[in-house]
Amino acid sequence: MSKSFKIKIDKRKIKMILFELFIFLPFFTPDYVFFFDSIGSAIEIWKILSAVVAIVVYLYRRKISKPFLIMLLFNLWLFFMTIIRDGNMIQCFKYIAAIISLQIGIEIGLKEKRILIKVLQFCFLIPIVSNFISILMYPNGLYETETTNRNWLLGYDNTHVQFFLPAFMIALLNWRDKKNCSSVILIVSILASVFICQSTTTLVGTVVIMLIAFVPFLKKCTKLFNIRNYTIFSFASFFLIVVLRVQNIFSFFIVDILQKDLTFTNRTFLWDTTLNYFWQSPIVGYGWQNYSLRRAMYSSNSIIFAHNQILEWLYLGGIIYVLIFIYMCVYMNKISKKHRNNENIQIIHACFLVLQIMWITEVYLNPVIYIVLIMCLYANRFVEEIDIPKGKNDIDEKCIN
């Protein structure tokens, strides 16, 4: 007697996976790929199509969430000032379109969170493992630029954290949901790459995430370790180090732990220059200027930003731009305040803290790093059902129809 077996295929989930992959994949392309003009041009076209499809699908839903509006306001102010200041509108638009596309992909993916996390992990897994292989094969660098030979598939080693940080967060979330080999491979590839490249700052950030996310004592200290205090730490660091220059007090951490000199490798010159420009237009800033102008501003052939994120935002959009970011952080704290003890929330917020630490001396231009902020805006959606009081759902479902 023959038996027939039917394989049940969930078409809705398959459509979701294909949609998420189409939206995400072009923005996870390694820098090295763009050395090949034809492939690079195809990826750029894919990015445009991804942004168009994402926006059309999102608007078709006729529901605009508050997190989306906050991030949209944050980016529209930058674009508005770029237009007013006759800046590089094309580059600014591409940057904003990438961030918005990533956020739409994540927000729509919240309907199937498990699929979302697995798709994101897959998107990170390919470039990061490939980059790790390139490090093993070419320990002295895959290619040279005018400034360094420490370049691999993901680009200059100091910028790898743009992929590593959000990828580490996604891998930990996926591991908590279901222990699997792909999460282990991704985490091991990240840690091994960091050790081989001797990226001290990234290593410190990784240790911070592991401590806050897994050490029982620290996990319980949510009155100290929370996104409100992380935001305060970020702005306190900016005022103390960048503005007031009291880094001598932190000499142990700066010199011995981060292995940087007290001028942060001459970053103080960049800070002084940017502050001088900021005081000339403190309210609205200058918008996204052409890279040639920024290089001339710093008297450099390669430097195009302030090497401190808050200072960079002050230059780009003035005090108004930074106030929008502060409001974003207030919202992040509000939606997750009742769930600080949740491990998923702690992992996401720990990555936010690490990002603030990185931003003290760096500015990252890859939109992928914004996945950390986007996940913070939707952190309460990753709280397990058992952590939500019966009959009450505090998830912000407010929409504009």
Side-chain angles (χ1 to χ4, degrees):
M1 182 177 177
S2 62
K3 294 183 179 180
S4 60
F5 297 91
K6 293 183 179 180
I7 300 175
K8 187 177 180 180
I9 299 176
D10 193 328
K11 294 183 179 179
R12 183 175 57 84
K13 289 185 177 181
I14 292 176
K15 288 180 180 179
M16 176 66 76
I17 292 172
L18 293 177
F19 172 77
E20 296 286 293
L21 287 173
F22 180 79
I23 297 299
F24 289 140
L25 277 177
F27 302 107
F28 289 78
T29 306
D31 288 355
Y32 185 67
V33 172
F34 291 96
F35 281 98
F36 305 93
D37 293 337
S38 57
I39 300 176
S41 298
I43 295 297
E44 291 297 335
I45 294 173
W46 189 357
K47 287 181 179 180
I48 295 171
L49 292 174
S50 173
V52 171
V53 170
I55 292 171
V56 169
V57 171
Y58 191 75
L59 293 178
Y60 180 77
R61 296 166 68 240
R62 298 182 181 179
K63 294 180 180 180
I64 303 177
S65 69
K66 190 171 182 179
F68 181 82
L69 284 177
I70 294 173
M71 185 63 77
L72 183 64
L73 176 63
F74 182 71
N75 285 288
L76 284 181
W77 177 256
L78 173 60
F79 190 65
F80 175 70
M81 289 315 306
T82 302
I83 295 174
I84 297 298
R85 294 288 192 171
D86 194 26
N88 192 335
M89 288 180 286
I90 295 176
Q91 190 66 34
C92 182
F93 180 79
K94 288 168 62 178
Y95 186 73
I96 292 172
I99 296 172
I100 295 302
S101 299
L102 291 170
Q103 180 163 8
I104 290 175
I106 290 174
E107 183 171 321
I108 292 177
L110 290 173
K111 295 178 180 178
E112 295 285 349
K113 291 189 283 289
R114 184 167 293 174
I115 290 177
L116 170 64
I117 294 299
K118 290 187 181 299
V119 169
L120 281 172
Q121 179 168 281
F122 174 78
C123 292
F124 278 118
L125 191 66
I126 296 175
I128 288 177
V129 172
S130 300
N131 182 72
F132 177 53
I133 293 172
S134 73
I135 292 173
L136 293 177
M137 293 178 63
Y138 304 94
N140 296 321
L142 179 62
Y143 60 93
E144 290 187 21
T145 60
E146 294 180 1
T147 56
T148 181
N149 66 339
R150 295 183 60 80
N151 303 290
W152 286 277
L153 207 66
L154 289 178
Y156 176 44
D157 65 346
N158 202 36
T159 64
H160 292 179
V161 69
Q162 298 176 112
F163 278 80
F164 290 172
L165 182 57
F168 202 79
M169 173 181 62
I170 296 299
L172 289 177
L173 291 175
N174 194 36
W175 175 260
R176 286 203 68 248
D177 176 62
K178 186 178 181 181
K179 295 176 174 58
N180 54 76
C181 291
S182 57
S183 296
V184 175
I185 292 171
L186 182 54
I187 291 172
V188 170
S189 297
I190 293 171
L191 294 177
S193 299
V194 171
F195 276 107
I196 294 173
C197 294
Q198 297 181 345
S199 179
T200 309
T201 308
T202 307
L203 180 59
V204 171
T206 304
V207 172
V208 170
I209 296 174
M210 299 294 283
L211 288 174
I212 296 176
F214 294 106
V215 175
F217 171 73
L218 297 179
K219 285 166 62 176
K220 294 178 181 180
C221 295
T222 55
K223 289 185 178 180
L224 177 62
F225 297 102
N226 58 71
I227 203 163
R228 180 197 62 190
N229 291 341
Y230 299 158
T231 304
I232 293 172
F233 163 80
S234 178
F235 281 89
S237 300
F238 166 72
F239 282 108
L240 290 173
I241 295 176
V242 177
V243 179
L244 300 179
R245 303 293 165 78
V246 296
Q247 53 261 44
N248 288 327
I249 299 175
F250 306 100
S251 60
F252 169 76
F253 179 75
I254 295 168
V255 178
D256 298 330
I257 305 298
L258 296 182
Q259 297 183 3
K260 297 180 181 292
D261 58 64
L262 292 179
T263 66
F264 291 97
T265 319
N266 297 320
R267 281 168 171 77
T268 51
F269 165 75
L270 306 179
W271 297 342
D272 288 336
T273 301
T274 311
L275 282 170
N276 288 334
Y277 276 85
F278 163 70
W279 289 121
Q280 296 174 37
S281 180
I283 306 300
V284 297
Y286 296 88
W288 191 299
Q289 295 298 319
N290 291 311
Y291 292 150
S292 58
L293 188 150
R294 296 299 297 273
R295 283 192 286 266
M297 172 179 163
Y298 297 121
S299 303
S300 169
N301 293 324
S302 58
I303 298 173
I304 56 174
F305 47 76
H307 276 279
N308 175 273
Q309 187 62 69
I310 293 177
L311 183 57
E312 181 71 11
W313 283 335
L314 287 171
Y315 172 84
L316 292 173
I319 294 174
I320 293 177
Y321 196 36
V322 172
L323 287 176
I324 298 172
F325 174 72
I326 292 174
Y327 176 70
M328 185 188 302
C329 294
V330 170
Y331 178 81
M332 292 173 184
N333 181 64
K334 178 183 176 182
I335 62 170
S336 57
K337 191 173 183 179
K338 295 180 180 179
H339 306 295
R340 287 176 178 173
N341 291 320
N342 178 264
E343 291 190 16
N344 286 345
I345 296 287
Q346 291 173 340
I347 290 171
I348 294 170
H349 287 182
C351 291
F352 177 86
L353 171 62
V354 172
L355 185 58
Q356 305 313 303
I357 295 173
M358 304 293 187
W359 275 348
I360 294 174
T361 58
E362 294 294 342
V363 171
Y364 300 109
L365 298 179
N366 195 317
V368 169
I369 195 70
Y370 272 79
I371 289 177
V372 176
L373 295 183
I374 294 169
M375 291 292 285
C376 287
L377 284 169
Y378 300 101
N380 57 339
R381 300 292 293 271
F382 291 90
V383 177
E384 292 88 349
E385 295 296 325
I386 57 173
D387 291 326
I388 301 176
K390 189 176 181 180
K392 181 177 177 61
N393 188 341
D394 70 332
I395 295 175
D396 191 346
E397 298 285 351
K398 294 180 181 178
C399 299
I400 297 176
N401 295 319

